Amino acid sequence: MSRDALGEVVAELGERPYRARQLFEWLYQRRARDLDALSDLPRGLRSSLAERFSLRWPEIAERSLSFDGTRKYLFRLDGGATIESVYIPESDRRTICISTQAGCPLKCSFCLTGVAGYQRSLKTWEILGQVAAVMEDNPAAATHPDRRDEDPFPWNVVVMGMGEPLLNYEATASALRILMDPKGFALPPRKLTVSTVGILPALEKLAREDTPPNLAISLHAPDPGLRRALMPIEEKYPMADVLAAALAYPTPRGGRVTLEYVLLRGVNDTPAHARELARRLGRRRFKVNLIPLNPAPEIPFQAPRPGDVDAFAAVLVDAGVTVSVRRPRGQDILAACGQLHLKGPTPGSAVHA
């Protein structure tokens, strides 16, 4: 529930308005798991809340641990749907990749999530619950014991898991507001990134939010024709319109919008493709994140050769485009970009850690 919704509940129960603030902080800042833990709320209020509402988190059905320290979580949701989230530890930060839908309806041809099908959109609590559960499961004292407690050790949340977040706008936006609320999860906007193919009406709404997060656009081709062959959504929301909306987007601290580009061997990874991409972007306010394909048996493409990745990046750099290459994490457990998918837990293997 949002601040306003909690305020309405408290008013209906005849309590003073400040109780809504206390309740909000218990839910999202302290992340209580039980209504009885809300010790500074009157017992009668706690009883009334328990009669009307439940306080629960998504169930972790399975954990998988990669050789590189990446952890993948399989969550079982109401109605039998499942989603996957990923925790990526690094020396100077911790990143959580979360899902907004069980599966994905967009059917991008290089993405295992889309190939595996679609069940439903998530509710706000199911989106927030992924973040809360992964944070609780990975305290710094356990994952980075050499860090001093007083060291700033930021969390990053990337909405790049299963699904298209802007096709589930209301639940996603509600979750984003709570994640960035100083009395909620207190994530700085620059530490929160939403990835979208460019659902234009919703992207324009996101740009009008009081506190918009960072933005990443799934581009994956240098021209509309190839993008349409790889991503059917190009037919509805053309590349030129998506890039124009991205340029108008108010990024935190005036930063650049990221364009994500999965490299597929012999399909979109040649120097000619790079030159066309550079020509189309010019020197406008973008940075390009190159993502060598993370292969899976169901995906009909191959990963690019390392030399081709370097050559593609070099063409962009020579043209004045800011470029980064995403290092794959968790490939061995199908936790890397584009590898999350619908499935059930492995029988007899609730935890791999």
Side-chain angles (χ1 to χ4, degrees), residues 131-166:
V131 181
V134 174
M135 283 182 170
E136 182 182 80
D137 210 46
N138 295 279
T143 60
H144 294 76
D146 296 333
R147 302 277 309 204
R148 300 192 307 273
D149 290 341
E150 63 271 19
D151 281 352
F153 197 16
W155 285 101
N156 294 266
V157 174
V158 293
V159 189
M160 297 181 181
M162 297 168 62
E164 165 52 59
L166 298 191

Side-chain angles (χ1 to χ4, degrees), residues 47-109:
S47 297
S48 296
L49 291 171
E51 290 172 2
R52 298 185 179 205
F53 305 102
S54 62
L55 173 53
R56 57 195 175 95
W57 297 12
E59 174 194 353
I60 298 176
E62 186 176 309
R63 299 172 178 85
S64 301
L65 178 63
S66 168
F67 73 91
D68 64 18
T70 299
R71 287 177 181 261
K72 184 170 71 171
Y73 291 81
L74 178 72
F75 290 94
R76 183 184 293 114
L77 308 179
D78 293 349
T82 60
I83 55 170
E84 293 184 324
S85 308
V86 180
Y87 166 63
I88 306 168
E90 297 180 82
S91 60
D92 58 346
R93 61 184 175 182
R94 297 169 286 176
T95 299
I96 307 171
C97 178
I98 61 171
S99 298
T100 54
Q101 296 181 307
C104 183
L106 294 181
K107 301 186 183 302
C108 298
S109 59

